[in-house]
Amino acid sequence: MARRLKTDNEIDAFIEKVTTEANHHALNVNRVIQPLSEEVRERLDLKSDKVEVYEREGRIARTCWVVIDGSRYVFSYNYNNEQIDLRERSLRGQVLSSFENSTSRQTIRKAVAGL
């Protein structure tokens, strides 16, 4: 089930949670989460776009869907590659980009601009 995040404060809390968990379990992506979030949020209009996160049994997980200009994308951690994948539409959608700590801000900006 997905829970919609409707405010900047809710999004901030989610990003903080994901970063804290990455600091313990996903050190290859812990520093890219914030710049990735900032670039996506530059594109978002919370009045018309959506941010949803995976929720199971009342607990929020790390998967995040965004709808920008009517198109849906998902950000999820790829355990095999130790990267954050940006996919088209769903968890099984085409991988559009992957991110890790070594990903430059310019590369992140270019990937998000293409959404």
Side-chain angles (χ1 to χ4, degrees):
M1 175 180 280
R3 177 193 294 187
R4 186 168 179 183
L5 304 181
K6 298 178 183 179
T7 68
D8 286 322
N9 287 340
E10 290 175 333
I11 296 169
D12 289 341
F14 172 74
I15 295 302
E16 183 177 328
K17 176 190 182 306
V18 170
T19 302
T20 298
E21 290 178 5
N23 285 332
H24 294 286
H25 305 292
L27 292 175
N28 204 43
V29 298
N30 64 336
R31 293 187 316 274
V32 76
I33 295 166
Q34 187 64 41
L36 183 56
S37 169
E38 291 168 0
E39 292 299 326
V40 170
R41 290 170 79 176
E42 284 291 318
R43 293 281 323 271
L44 284 174
D45 177 352
L46 290 177
K47 294 174 188 158
S48 57
D49 298 327
K50 289 183 190 178
V51 176
E52 297 176 317
V53 295
Y54 185 75
E55 179 180 43
R56 183 176 182 167
E57 298 178 8
R59 295 185 59 184
I60 292 178
R62 295 173 291 271
T63 301
C64 177
W65 293 270
V66 295
V67 176
I68 298 174
D69 294 331
S71 295
R72 188 174 194 224
Y73 306 94
V74 62
F75 292 89
S76 64
Y77 183 66
N78 182 321
Y79 289 89
N80 293 327
N81 298 335
E82 298 181 350
Q83 297 175 320
I84 296 171
D85 285 343
L86 166 60
R87 294 179 176 268
E88 201 171 37
R89 291 187 295 275
S90 72
L91 288 169
R92 295 181 187 209
Q94 177 183 342
V95 175
L96 301 174
S97 295
S98 294
F99 309 94
E100 58 188 37
N101 290 339
S102 64
T103 305
S104 71
R105 186 71 176 235
Q106 182 178 354
T107 299
I108 294 168
R109 188 172 291 128
K110 184 177 178 181
V112 173
L115 302 180

